[in-house]
Amino acid sequence: MKHSEIVGVVLAGGQSRRMGMNKALFLLNDLPMIQIVADVLRNMFERVIVVADNRSDYEFLSLPVFPDVFKSSGPLGGIHSAFRHIEAEALFFSACDTPFITQALIEHLVRQESHPVCVASMNRRVHPLPGLYRKEIVPELERSLASGDRKLVEFLQRVGAAIVPITPDLPFYQPHLCANINEPKDYELANDTSSTGLFPSVGKD
């Protein structure tokens, strides 16, 4: 059953400087990365939106697309924008360049105890996206953005985020669940990974 009280959000506001072009539209398994992410969210939530300034690039998704309120403010600005445009107590965010996320990972994060924010950690690294963010953080979001403090990990510390370890003993564990495709070498690895079938979750549960 899909979650009706949580809205899924794909953040696609990055400028893809390291990739040289819009990485959201790079293909994996013949699908744009953003579509892979959006489809996973659509399987989990009754409502899904995209936050991006270049709305026309994502018309093929048939999803509402909303622009950033604070321009050039990174993921923190995208999170803020979603809360400004959508009335919901909780939003589940994923970046457009995390194509290995799965429904099982999302459900695991959603089921955790109630915290202002709930995100994953893997291999001693905190992954702010994907993650569940609640409306109560909006005042701190606005203070951070107004002051120019856009570091997402530090923001998580300020709001008391729950950091959920994703470890090999979990039944849905895969080593690249939270991997970002930021550079050409990442994309090449992701292509090799998906084509070999090591991660059949791409675009699936």
Side-chain angles (χ1 to χ4, degrees), residues 1-10 31 34-49 61 63 92 94 99 101-107 110-111 200-205:
M1 181 180 295
K2 294 183 181 181
H3 295 276
S4 59
E5 75 284 7
I6 302 170
V7 177
V9 184
V10 185
L31 293 174
I34 191 171
Q35 183 174 336
I36 294 170
V37 175
D39 285 349
V40 174
L41 294 184
R42 276 194 264 222
N43 286 333
M44 293 295 300
F45 307 109
E46 289 186 1
R47 289 191 293 164
V48 177
I49 68 167
L61 294 172
L63 292 173
F92 191 94
S94 187
I101 65 166
T102 63
Q103 294 178 49
L105 170 65
I106 293 171
E107 188 65 35
V110 168
R111 285 182 177 178
S201 62
V202 175
K204 303 177 184 178
D205 184 10

Side-chain angles (χ1 to χ4, degrees), residues 77-148:
I79 292 168
H80 170 265
S81 180
F83 277 110
R84 282 287 298 271
H85 291 292
I86 295 294
E87 185 59 39
E89 290 302 313
L91 305 179
F92 191 94
F93 291 89
S94 187
C96 66
D97 62 352
T98 54
F100 294 115
I101 65 166
T102 63
Q103 294 178 49
L105 170 65
I106 293 171
E107 188 65 35
H108 186 69
L109 293 176
V110 168
R111 285 182 177 178
Q112 302 303 311
E113 292 183 19
S114 179
H115 290 270
V117 179
C118 184
V119 299
S121 68
M122 294 184 70
N123 301 317
R124 300 182 180 179
R125 178 185 173 189
V126 175
H127 294 272
L129 302 168
L132 183 70
Y133 291 70
R134 299 186 184 279
K135 189 176 181 179
E136 64 193 81
I137 67 168
V138 171
E140 181 59 33
L141 269 174
E142 294 184 340
R143 282 192 291 270
S144 297
L145 290 164
S147 66

